[in-house]
Amino acid sequence: MTMDTTFRYRTLFSSIWIWAILAVAASLMAIAANRLDRLSYANYIQKVREATFFELLEVRESFESLVHSQSLVLRELATFISENPDMTQEEFSRRVQSIRGTDVSTVSMAAAPNLVITLIHPVEGNEGALGLDYRTNAEQFPVVQELLKNGGEMVTGPVNLAQGGLGLILRAPVYVATPETPAVGDGIDGGAWGIVSLVLDYEQFLGKAGILAASDDYDLLIEVVSHSADTEGAFFYGDMALKDRDPVTLNFDFEFEDWKLHAVTKGGWPQTSPNQWQERLFMALVALALLLLLIYIIWLADSRKRAEVLLVNGIEALADGFVMFDADDRLIVNNTKYKDIYGFPKEALRHGTPFQDYVHTGALGSDFFLKPEDRKSWLEIRRQSRLDGKSLDHEQHLADGRVIRVSDRRMRDGSYVGLRVDITELSNAKAAAEAASKAKTDFMGVLSHELRTPLTVILGVARLTNNARLLGTSKAVLNAVERDDISPEETKALLDGMFDQLSGMMDRLIHSGDHLLHLINEMLDVAKIEAGSLTVDRAICDIDDIVTPVTQQLMTLSRDKGLDLVVSQKQGAVWADVVRARQILMNLLGNAIKFTEQGQVRLSVQVKEDTVLFEVKDTGPGIAEAELESIFEVFYQVDSTETRRAGGTGMGLAISRDLAKLQGGSLTVTSKLGEGSCFVLTLPSASACSDLKSDAEVRD
């Protein structure tokens, strides 16, 4: 170390203001570190709460699903009893056994006319509940009273069952409308026939709902807001004290009561973050590093030349283009990235080059700098911004397809600093996002139309059926009955005509319902595909089991359009999911028939080594080459009058390609405008499955 350097060090660090700056900096860093420490802990707790919230969403959904499904079972039983109030035990048991939705957690289903349980299923094991008079049951009668008063459903539990054990009970009132009593009233005297109840095993229900599993990691409270913890007979799970521990709260979606699920991590929220001390050590190291950096900067201030070198190096290290001009519009400095962006020759960027010279060289001398039609306007924009002394933000579209973001800022001394950022990917992504948004908007328009069409038919037929007396055939039958001079043969003919009309209306209703179900199934398949939850069940099956049902179903459609549906099929076996393979083939053949106005649709099936090829050719309008891959996107439809006229949502091909991939196959397309299209579905043959099994046996 030279004497001059030693003197500079002593002069630099012997000044009082330097130590003052370091002390202030250290104090500010300590305050910032303390604040960051608290923010880090708060952020950790927030993440824990978010994780708790999302994990309990599944528990809530499972809980709601179980309650809703059992509520539907209860409503179905109540509706049946209201229509058959005098049923016997045998009829009751038979009806209960036919109801869908019950499961192994169901203990019993019972009916209590006049609040006395006289019907129950199964009888065996539940004899203790027969004859139970709710009026004399101090534990359950208040709930029954509230149920009859409100006229809705209620859930109670845990309840000590008359037949033994703990249960969760869903109850609903039953009303029987008569001339003397209205359909709905307040209590038994107000028109209620009685109540029906569905008893679930309490522990099994909590297990299926995921409550027991979740309680291993969380302290839980399920609260019915309209009840307190000591309300007799009301449903309750957990400890009310949990509400004072700032829990995560989720609301249940129940119509009959306001339920909430509260949860905290087991034993309460963590008091510290797991990496708190490591973070504090890291902040201390960062603070020390910042102090050292501050000292280093102060030392660098002693040398302007070193600062200039560091500045140049920093500019050169930028990932974007950088340029600076002085107040006289002469080039001061630029980095290599700036030169590379525009392809300037090295001699054009010498220090002191006038701005106009470099602009002229760049705009007119480079083949890929700007498109010819954009050069004049770009030069004018640049010239005017310099004359006005304003900052400039502008996008340059280069001839080679790149997009450059130009940002020029005027500094106080009149000089300019500019940044050139290559935003080609961002621009392309924006265009793609806008295209995707438009595709989704178009898709929603098509989907809403597709959904409204069958719904309109269904509602129209339902309204006509609701006013069946106004139908022409119905009026004819009524007029004939009023005349009382019609023969049995004429009566039968009139009734046949009325029944034929009603049958035709029902056929339209069923067809529209099937169409609506198909649309919903397509949407569900897309949702499963995007969630990664769609699965296939592959097995060895005959090719004919896939082809024949599809072609038989579509033969009528092709015949109605005057098209020839030609099937050329080789015998063999395929390793696939039969249902999903038929779905793919149905989509391909259905599309071919829809879009082909004349000529033929041909299905050719060939077996080649380990692959089975299903080739669907048509003589339709064809697809433009630029759109051949886009048609397999979920929300994409070829935007043509023919496509709109034929209908459809545009989801079928996307689903079909994914289903093919899931089965180890592929779906490809070739097409020529005006000549037709050819879709090729490949699936593994039965021999491919055998080869895989043989390989597995050899490895074993």
Side-chain angles (χ1 to χ4, degrees):
M1 183 178 295
T2 65
M3 182 177 296
D4 181 64
T5 303
T6 304
F7 174 78
R8 288 208 307 270
Y9 270 111
R10 290 176 178 176
T11 303
L12 187 64
F13 293 102
S14 62
S15 301
I16 297 177
W17 68 271
I18 294 297
W19 291 108
I21 290 176
L22 293 176
V24 170
S27 299
L28 292 176
M29 290 178 188
I31 294 172
N34 180 61
R35 179 62 177 166
L36 288 174
D37 184 63
R38 287 187 291 171
L39 288 176
S40 175
Y41 173 73
N43 183 58
Y44 169 70
I45 290 299
Q46 182 62 29
K47 289 182 179 179
V48 172
R49 291 176 67 89
E50 289 176 357
T52 301
F53 180 87
F54 286 112
E55 288 185 25
L56 291 180
L57 277 177
E58 184 176 350
V59 176
R60 184 192 69 178
E61 296 299 324
S62 178
F63 193 102
E64 286 180 350
S65 176
L66 287 174
V67 173
H68 282 312
S69 65
Q70 299 309 307
S71 176
L72 291 175
V73 170
L74 198 62
R75 291 180 189 175
E76 182 177 349
L77 181 59
T79 301
F80 180 78
I81 292 176
S82 68
E83 297 172 354
N84 304 274
D86 299 320
M87 68 169 61
T88 64
Q89 173 65 48
E90 181 179 358
E91 292 174 334
F92 179 82
S93 296
R94 211 166 37 242
R95 184 60 183 177
V96 170
Q97 291 173 343
S98 68
I99 295 177
R100 298 181 179 180
T102 59
D103 55 34
V104 294
S105 65
T106 303
V107 176
S108 65
M109 296 177 69
N114 202 27
L115 303 188
V116 178
I117 296 179
T118 57
L119 301 172
I120 194 167
H121 179 83
V123 176
E124 183 179 353
N126 295 293
E127 295 87 353
L130 284 172
L132 172 65
D133 189 340
Y134 284 108
R135 292 185 178 87
T136 62
N137 190 304
E139 180 182 359
Q140 301 187 36
F141 186 59
V143 178
V144 173
Q145 281 185 308
E146 183 71 18
L147 173 71
L148 293 174
K149 179 180 179 181
N150 296 331
E153 301 171 19
M154 290 191 72
V155 181
T156 58
V159 175
N160 293 315
L161 302 176
Q163 57 269 51
L166 289 176
L168 178 68
I169 304 178
L170 283 75
R171 296 189 179 95
V174 179
Y175 299 96
V176 179
T178 65
E180 295 78 20
T181 54
V184 178
D186 185 10
I188 291 295
D189 297 332
W193 174 89
I195 65 171
V196 291
S197 59
L198 187 152
V199 181
L200 302 172
D201 184 277
Y202 185 68
E203 291 295 325
Q204 288 192 29
F205 175 82
L206 293 181
K208 289 189 65 177
I211 298 297
L212 295 181
S215 64
D216 293 337
D217 299 319
Y218 302 97
D219 294 329
L220 302 175
L221 166 64
I222 299 178
E223 175 196 17
V224 182
V225 177
S226 57
H227 298 150
S228 62
D230 56 354
T231 300
E232 192 169 347
F235 180 87
F236 186 79
Y237 178 87
D239 185 0
M240 286 295 289
L242 188 67
K243 294 178 66 177
D244 299 326
R245 294 159 60 185
D246 190 25
V248 170
T249 300
L250 290 83
N251 294 318
F252 288 93
D253 184 22
F254 295 146
E255 297 178 356
F256 45 85
E257 286 176 314
D258 186 9
W259 290 35
K260 294 182 181 295
L261 172 62
H262 306 284
V264 300
T265 53
K266 204 71 174 179
W269 301 117
Q271 297 301 310
T272 59
S273 63
N275 300 319
Q276 186 175 31
W277 286 107
Q278 293 91 323
E279 291 173 351
R280 289 176 178 175
L281 177 60
F282 176 76
M283 285 188 289
L285 293 174
V286 170
L288 178 60
L290 290 175
L291 286 173
L292 293 175
L293 179 61
L294 180 60
I295 295 171
Y296 183 62
I297 292 174
I298 294 173
W299 178 76
L300 285 179
D302 192 59
S303 174
R304 180 179 177 180
K305 184 177 180 179
R306 183 175 297 182
E308 290 176 351
V309 171
L310 287 175
L311 177 61
V312 171
N313 289 341
I315 292 172
E316 190 65 29
L318 288 175
D320 304 315
F322 180 89
V323 66
M324 181 180 290
F325 288 88
D326 62 18
D328 295 326
D329 267 352
R330 294 183 177 275
L331 182 65
I332 298 175
V333 66
N334 68 275
N335 63 358
T336 303
K337 184 66 177 179
Y338 178 83
K339 179 180 73 70
D340 293 342
I341 286 177
Y342 295 122
F344 286 131
K346 187 175 181 180
E347 57 274 12
L349 294 174
R350 291 192 300 268
H351 181 80
T353 302
F355 172 77
Q356 290 294 336
D357 290 353
Y358 115 88
V359 169
H360 185 79
T361 301
L364 303 181
S366 176
D367 293 335
F368 65 89
F369 180 63
L370 284 176
K371 298 178 181 178
E373 62 271 20
D374 295 336
R375 291 174 180 174
K376 184 176 180 180
S377 61
W378 184 84
L379 282 170
E380 181 59 28
I381 291 172
R382 301 292 294 162
R383 186 187 67 82
Q384 193 61 43
S385 69
R386 292 290 177 172
L387 291 176
D388 296 340
K390 296 180 179 178
S391 298
L392 177 66
D393 287 293
H394 183 68
E395 285 188 6
Q396 292 178 347
H397 293 266
L398 304 188
D400 62 355
R402 288 179 298 149
V403 181
I404 306 300
R405 182 69 180 178
V406 175
S407 297
D408 283 348
R409 294 292 180 269
R410 190 178 183 91
M411 295 186 289
R412 291 182 179 179
D413 63 352
S415 60
Y416 270 90
V417 62
L419 199 63
R420 305 295 183 266
V421 182
D422 190 337
I423 59 170
T424 305
E425 292 185 3
L426 180 61
S427 180
N428 293 340
K430 180 182 177 182
E434 291 173 349
S437 177
K438 182 180 182 303
K440 287 189 177 182
T441 301
D442 294 342
F443 167 77
M444 292 305 297
V446 173
L447 181 61
S448 61
H449 172 75
E450 290 292 322
L451 290 174
R452 281 198 302 268
T453 300
L455 280 174
T456 301
V457 175
I458 291 171
L459 291 173
V461 172
R463 292 190 181 101
L464 287 174
T465 307
N466 192 42
N467 297 278
R469 289 177 175 272
L470 301 179
L471 297 175
T473 54
S474 300
K475 290 180 179 179
V477 172
L478 291 174
N479 291 335
V481 171
E482 290 175 356
R483 292 199 312 269
D484 199 24
D485 59 351
I486 188 170
S487 67
E489 291 78 8
E490 292 174 326
T491 301
K492 182 177 182 301
L494 289 174
L495 289 173
D496 287 342
M498 182 178 70
F499 291 147
D500 288 343
Q501 185 176 12
L502 291 174
S503 177
M505 293 167 63
M506 291 303 103
D507 286 341
R508 293 179 61 196
L509 188 67
I510 292 170
H511 177 74
S512 296
D514 288 339
H515 185 199
L516 188 59
L517 180 62
H518 172 72
L519 294 174
I520 294 172
N521 285 335
E522 278 194 338
M523 288 187 288
L524 291 175
D525 282 344
V526 169
K528 289 180 179 178
I529 289 170
E530 292 186 346
S533 60
L534 187 64
T535 59
V536 295
D537 185 13
R538 291 196 284 177
I540 296 177
C541 58
D542 195 82
I543 294 175
D544 192 60
D545 291 339
I546 298 174
V547 174
T548 300
V550 175
T551 54
Q552 288 179 348
Q553 186 172 348
L554 294 176
M555 192 67 72
T556 302
L557 178 61
S558 65
R559 189 182 300 115
D560 291 342
K561 290 193 67 175
L563 300 174
D564 293 329
L565 179 56
V566 181
V567 180
S568 175
Q569 174 186 335
K570 296 291 185 179
Q571 298 300 318
V574 63
W575 185 33
D577 185 320
V578 176
V579 175
R580 293 301 189 178
R582 289 175 185 168
Q583 180 180 350
I584 300 172
L585 205 56
M586 182 72 72
N587 270 327
L588 299 180
L589 285 172
N591 284 345
I593 294 172
K594 278 197 303 183
F595 292 108
T596 303
E597 293 302 324
Q598 59 183 359
Q600 68 175 11
V601 175
R602 175 179 292 273
L603 170 62
S604 175
V605 184
Q606 302 179 30
V607 180
K608 294 184 178 181
E609 297 180 356
D610 294 338
T611 304
V612 179
L613 280 72
F614 299 80
E615 187 178 79
V616 178
K617 288 185 177 180
D618 63 59
T619 56
I623 304 168
E625 184 177 355
E627 296 176 328
L628 287 181
E629 283 304 313
S630 299
I631 61 174
F632 292 106
E633 297 175 6
V634 175
F635 301 115
Y636 186 86
Q637 278 193 323
V638 178
D639 188 13
S640 67
T641 304
E642 185 68 19
T643 302
R644 301 301 182 193
R645 188 184 65 79
T649 62
M651 294 186 290
L653 289 177
I655 295 171
S656 297
R657 172 168 277 190
D658 284 309
L659 288 176
K661 290 180 180 178
L662 285 173
Q663 297 178 81
S666 64
L667 179 59
T668 57
V669 61
T670 55
S671 181
K672 288 186 177 180
L673 287 175
E675 297 183 12
S677 304
C678 177
F679 287 84
V680 178
L681 166 66
T682 65
L683 293 174
S685 65
S687 62
C689 175
S690 302
D691 292 341
L692 289 176
K693 290 182 178 179
S694 300
D695 292 342
E697 291 173 357
V698 169
R699 287 194 297 271
D700 290 343

